Amino acid sequence: MGTQFFTASSIDGFIADPEQSLSWLLSRDVDSTGPMGYDAFIAGVGALAMGATTYRWLLDHPEAVGEAWPYEQPTWVFTHGGLEAMDGDIRFTSAPVAEVHAEMTAAADGLNVWVVGGGDLAGQFADAGLLDEVWVQYAPVALGAGFPLLPRRLELRLEDVARNRDFACARYSVVR
């Protein structure tokens, strides 16, 4: 069991463009059952940590994820308030990640905790010494600007690489 940041990035290191759009990502070919794919990854996830911006994006883009909440796992949304609740096991918190991590780990029941979207949120887990792995699916596009993959210094060790259709995929462990 560990805490993992699983995300996609442009080759120049951005997870969203300056307008917080993921249109550049959604037009790319990927096999969810392929190497380092989503299906195998999510099967090992027991709880999710999500930033408010990612949660808002899900609310605003049902065409990308469907009308219903797309996760069965309990999800902690880190926010300072003002978000509409969807049907699902969603828990809003403004507490620091270190205070909530034990609760997420217990809820994961032996599975992994997934930090969904939000490089800054993943960075907060790393700052607290709670981030174990970073999985990145690099899309063949350069954005030039936007929201960075990880907006802080973090030492990583490459553990695995694969190609999944349009994507170069890499799995790193966090060096402590």
Side-chain angles (χ1 to χ4, degrees):
M1 186 189 86
T3 301
Q4 303 167 309
F5 180 38
F6 179 93
T7 192
S9 174
S10 63
I11 61 168
D12 56 347
F14 297 103
I15 60 174
D17 71 15
E19 289 77 40
Q20 298 182 356
S21 172
L22 299 179
S23 61
W24 59 273
L25 173 63
L26 300 176
S27 66
R28 304 299 168 170
D29 186 28
V30 67
D31 180 0
S32 66
T33 65
M36 291 192 189
Y38 176 81
D39 291 0
F41 175 82
I42 195 69
V45 172
L48 287 75
M50 183 178 292
T53 301
T54 301
Y55 182 79
R56 269 191 221 96
W57 192 90
L58 291 172
L59 290 176
D60 293 344
H61 295 88
E63 71 282 0
V65 294
E67 294 292 331
W69 182 244
Y71 304 108
E72 296 176 10
Q73 300 89 338
T75 303
W76 280 258
V77 177
F78 290 82
T79 180
H80 295 292
L83 294 175
E84 168 190 336
M86 293 182 73
D87 287 336
D89 189 351
I90 303 166
R91 306 162 192 202
F92 297 100
T93 182
S94 59
V97 296
E99 291 180 18
V100 183
H101 189 257
E103 188 179 347
M104 289 186 295
T105 301
D109 196 25
L111 296 174
N112 297 312
V113 173
W114 176 21
V115 180
V116 183
D120 185 61
L121 183 60
Q124 291 175 45
F125 277 88
D127 292 347
L130 299 171
L131 188 64
D132 299 304
E133 290 187 332
V134 176
W135 294 47
V136 185
Q137 286 64 40
Y138 292 99
V141 63
L143 298 176
F147 292 83
L149 174 64
L150 283 162
R152 63 205 359 95
R153 182 182 176 128
L154 184 60
E155 298 291 328
L156 304 170
R157 181 178 53 248
L158 182 63
E159 300 292 346
D160 197 9
V161 295
R163 178 181 180 179
N164 186 322
R165 296 191 181 160
D166 285 349
F167 290 79
C169 307
R171 182 174 60 86
Y172 304 92
S173 59
V174 176
V175 176
R176 302 202 199 287

